[in-house]
Amino acid sequence: MWGPGSLFFFFLIFFPVFLYDDVHAFEGIGSILLLAFPSPRFSLSALQSIGIKNLGYTFLVLYLIIFVLDYSYSRWCFLLIYEHYIRTGCGSVSVMVYGDHDKPALITYPDLALNYKSCFQGLFFCPEAASLLLHNFCIYHISPPGHELGAAEISSEDPIPSVEDLADQIIEILNYFGLGAVMCMGVMAGAYILSLFATKYRERVLGLILVSPLCKAPSWTEWFYNKVMSNLLYFYGVCGLLKECLLQRYFSKEVRGNAEVPESEIVQACKRLLDDRKCKNVLRFLHAINQRPDITDGLKRLKCRTLIFVGDSSPFHSEALYMTSKLDRRYSALVEVQGCGSMVTEEQPHAMLIPMEYFLMGYGLYRPCYFSESPRSPLSPSCISPELLSPESMGLKLKPIKTRVSVPLEV
């Protein structure tokens, strides 16, 4: 594959010809180009047959345009997003595939009433984070059933899936795409689903990047709060009061605004995207999450590396601390983001960059200075150096959970 340097060399050689108005010289160059770099799109006879004059000029310009377009397409076509509807044992699931299929897979799972656009767009629109993730991974955005853009209402005859069913859907998705072990990124309820998946299918998970994760059964407070949202969904649909409940779940007070400070653009965008949700579809996912079991015991057996983010204003802050305390300290780290709610991916995505970069270094993955084609990145996890996860290196408030140890004093 020719790169920009080759194109520059090409122009350097042929640029002097442009200084002379010699049609025959251009015709000769055009003929040489066609022989050296045959293109199925054009031929000399085809151009001559339609009566194009000054064939050398025309051919050279057209061929250069095609050459650049072909080069650009081969380099950037992986940025297109393809949507797949996959039939599983618990209904159809939408998966948006984004990136180079030859690279290792990163699967994402959003929170309640969200999808990839409303939950991960801020992170992937952050140029540094996008270059880090797209350089190393092909992204598979999994939406909860009925949460994808433009989703129709799920039939009431379809059984309501449990969290176990949702975790089992993921293994069916991986098998559909022929994926082996994958990196996982989830937010709140999505982080719970991926954590449950990791406890059930440990050999299929390379690592976990969790944002404001859940791991325990709902507390009485959360259970009651979810019941209120369930009643609102059932009787009033996605109404204004329900949106406020969800926004309190997602964002900090600073971005939600008040009587004096207007709400931020990300909150306004989230409200507009919530209008697209079908209330019965959201209710089904909420019902599953509100009946989730405690998975603490399974977390103790995890050996994959885990990076946890949580905003210090998140309603799930204490649960993230609890979850970190139950993970093996050799393979886990906690990052608390100041002045942020639960959805760090949208509210402060830039705060995730440095921790993720050091986390992925443990797998031999790096952020390029520029986009370049590279073979499949190696995924043989090596131990993350404690120095890499120091607060000084991270530039953030990184808090591995410390265990108090009593040391006997010698007299």
Side-chain angles (χ1 to χ4, degrees):
M1 180 64 68
W2 284 34
S6 302
L7 288 175
F8 175 76
F9 182 72
F10 176 85
F11 278 103
L12 190 65
I13 292 176
F14 290 104
F15 179 75
V17 181
F18 285 92
L19 299 179
Y20 301 96
D21 189 15
D22 189 342
V23 174
H24 297 290
F26 279 98
E27 288 178 350
I29 293 171
S31 303
I32 294 171
L33 281 173
L34 187 64
L35 292 173
F37 310 104
S39 172
R41 295 169 176 78
F42 295 96
S43 66
L44 288 172
S45 58
L47 290 171
Q48 288 170 338
S49 66
I50 59 177
I52 294 181
K53 298 180 179 180
N54 294 344
L55 181 61
Y57 286 107
T58 307
F59 181 85
L60 184 60
V61 171
L62 288 177
Y63 200 94
L64 288 176
I65 292 173
I66 296 166
F67 187 85
V68 172
L69 289 177
D70 282 352
Y71 175 80
S72 300
Y73 178 78
S74 67
R75 299 279 288 181
W76 300 104
C77 65
F78 66 87
L79 295 180
L80 299 175
I81 299 179
Y82 298 94
E83 184 171 19
H84 299 258
Y85 283 95
I86 302 170
R87 301 187 69 86
T88 69
C90 299
S92 296
V93 181
S94 168
V95 181
M96 305 295 292
V97 183
Y98 181 44
D100 185 350
H101 294 208
D102 292 331
K103 293 182 178 180
L106 168 67
I107 65 172
T108 71
Y109 210 104
D111 187 38
L112 175 71
L114 301 177
N115 51 40
Y116 81 96
K117 189 171 183 179
S118 49
C119 195
F120 297 102
Q121 184 170 264
L123 178 64
F124 283 90
F125 273 25
C126 179
E128 296 83 1
S131 67
L132 171 66
L133 296 174
L134 287 172
H135 178 69
N136 292 295
F137 296 105
C138 180
I139 315 299
Y140 295 79
H141 292 298
I142 303 173
S143 293
H147 281 56
E148 65 273 15
L149 293 172
E153 189 172 282
I154 299 175
S155 173
S156 56
E157 298 179 357
D158 293 347
I160 298 176
S162 65
V163 289
E164 295 276 351
D165 295 329
L166 296 175
D168 290 337
Q169 278 185 335
I170 297 175
I171 197 68
E172 295 186 62
I173 292 169
L174 299 192
N175 293 337
Y176 174 87
F177 289 108
L179 302 176
V182 298
M183 188 70 68
C184 301
M185 178 186 293
V187 178
M188 288 177 277
Y192 176 90
I193 299 297
L194 292 179
S195 299
L196 176 60
F197 170 73
T199 61
K200 296 184 68 175
Y201 304 97
R202 284 179 286 175
E203 73 284 355
R204 303 297 290 271
V205 177
L206 290 167
L208 292 168
I209 302 173
L210 307 176
V211 180
S212 304
L214 315 175
C215 67
K216 296 188 290 186
S219 63
W220 282 108
T221 305
E222 185 192 348
W223 181 89
F224 179 77
Y225 196 81
N226 290 344
K227 277 296 182 182
V228 170
M229 289 198 295
S230 297
N231 289 332
L232 289 172
L233 281 165
Y234 185 81
F235 291 106
Y236 303 104
V238 185
C239 59
L241 183 56
L242 176 74
K243 289 180 184 178
E244 291 302 320
C245 293
L246 290 172
L247 292 175
Q248 289 181 22
R249 176 187 178 97
Y250 303 152
F251 300 111
S252 64
K253 293 180 181 179
E254 288 76 10
V255 297
R256 293 203 310 271
N258 51 44
E260 298 178 354
V261 180
E263 60 190 14
S264 69
E265 292 183 1
I266 59 172
V267 173
Q268 296 174 13
C270 187
K271 280 185 174 181
R272 290 192 295 269
L273 291 168
L274 286 175
D275 289 331
D276 186 52
R277 298 284 78 78
K278 296 293 187 292
C279 58
K280 288 187 178 179
N281 298 354
V282 178
L283 186 59
R284 290 163 64 90
F285 191 26
L286 179 58
H287 184 271
I289 292 300
N290 211 29
Q291 295 187 342
R292 67 181 186 269
D294 192 314
I295 59 172
T296 302
D297 291 339
L299 296 176
K300 298 175 181 177
R301 297 191 295 270
L302 286 181
K303 296 301 180 185
C304 65
R305 285 169 173 77
T306 305
L307 179 61
I308 296 178
F309 294 91
V310 65
D312 60 2
S313 300
S314 169
F316 305 110
H317 180 264
S318 60
E319 184 137 359
L321 299 179
Y322 172 83
M323 182 174 181
T324 309
S325 69
K326 299 302 178 183
L327 293 167
D328 192 327
R329 290 188 60 199
R330 295 173 298 171
Y331 306 112
S332 62
L334 170 69
V335 178
E336 291 183 80
V337 183
Q338 302 286 335
C340 186
S342 299
M343 201 149 55
V344 185
T345 52
E346 291 294 313
E347 193 168 342
Q348 293 193 32
H350 57 277
M352 300 178 65
L353 175 64
I354 296 175
M356 284 197 305
E357 194 165 359
Y358 284 120
F359 177 75
L360 295 177
M361 280 182 185
Y363 297 86
L365 304 176
Y366 300 90
R367 178 165 61 96
C369 297
Y370 53 87
F371 280 99
S372 62
E373 287 182 351
S374 62
R376 179 183 290 268
S377 301
L379 281 177
S380 52
S382 57
C383 186
I384 298 178
S385 170
E387 290 76 13
L388 292 178
L389 295 178
S390 66
E392 293 77 12
S393 297
M394 305 292 267
L396 290 165
K397 184 182 177 184
L398 178 68
K399 291 183 64 178
I401 300 301
K402 297 181 180 180
T403 305
R404 186 173 298 170
V405 179
S406 59
V407 180
L409 299 174
E410 297 182 2
V411 182

